[in-house]
Amino acid sequence: QVQLVESGGGLVQAGGSLRLSCAASGRTFSGYAMGWFRQAPGKEREFVAAISRSGTTTHYADSVKGRFTISRDNAKNTVYLQMNSLKPEDTAIYYCAAGASVYYREYGRYDYWGQGSQVTVSS
């Protein structure tokens, strides 16, 4: 009932910034907590950040805390991930997801997923 489309990925040098966007359609966007996950080649998909339905509560993985910011604009049905001070280890496919709780950090707990967007950070 929710379709998610990501954009904003690409190639950036270490220390640079990117902003990912995830546009939602279908059921009311504001009814879902939103999360970002990433998966590097040969590695397990890992939690990056999550935001509550209202946008007032956020959670971040320790590896990105202080560098990444998740936000949402419910009027635009869009969630964002601002990524600053990017490091080569941030290289991964980034996925947005919709779920029932901002407290979920396991990808299996999320109900809907975007197609993924490649982020590559070069040295």
Side-chain angles (χ1 to χ4, degrees):
Q1 296 189 44
V2 177
Q3 296 79 46
L4 304 173
V5 180
E6 300 180 358
S7 62
L11 175 65
V12 65
Q13 289 187 300
S17 298
L18 286 173
R19 188 178 75 160
L20 301 180
S21 299
C22 178
S25 62
R27 191 172 179 179
T28 304
F29 173 73
S30 61
Y32 295 89
M34 298 295 297
W36 287 94
F37 292 77
R38 66 187 183 185
Q39 187 167 23
K43 298 186 66 177
E44 190 175 82
R45 188 176 302 182
E46 66 174 348
F47 170 80
V48 176
I51 188 167
S52 62
R53 300 173 184 181
S54 66
T56 58
T57 302
T58 59
H59 295 282
Y60 297 93
D62 289 341
S63 59
V64 306
K65 194 172 298 182
R67 299 187 298 120
F68 291 10
T69 302
I70 187 171
S71 62
R72 67 190 298 163
D73 186 341
N74 288 345
K76 297 182 181 295
N77 292 337
T78 302
V79 63
Y80 306 94
L81 185 68
Q82 178 67 46
M83 303 182 292
N84 298 327
S85 301
L86 283 162
K87 306 174 181 179
E89 49 263 47
D90 294 319
T91 295
I93 300 174
Y94 284 71
Y95 300 89
C96 66
S101 175
V102 68
Y103 300 104
Y104 292 167
R105 290 176 176 246
E106 302 170 354
Y107 67 84
R109 295 293 189 94
Y110 284 78
D111 300 313
Y112 303 99
W113 291 86
Q115 80 287 352
S117 183
Q118 178 70 48
V119 172
T120 302
V121 184
S122 62
S123 300

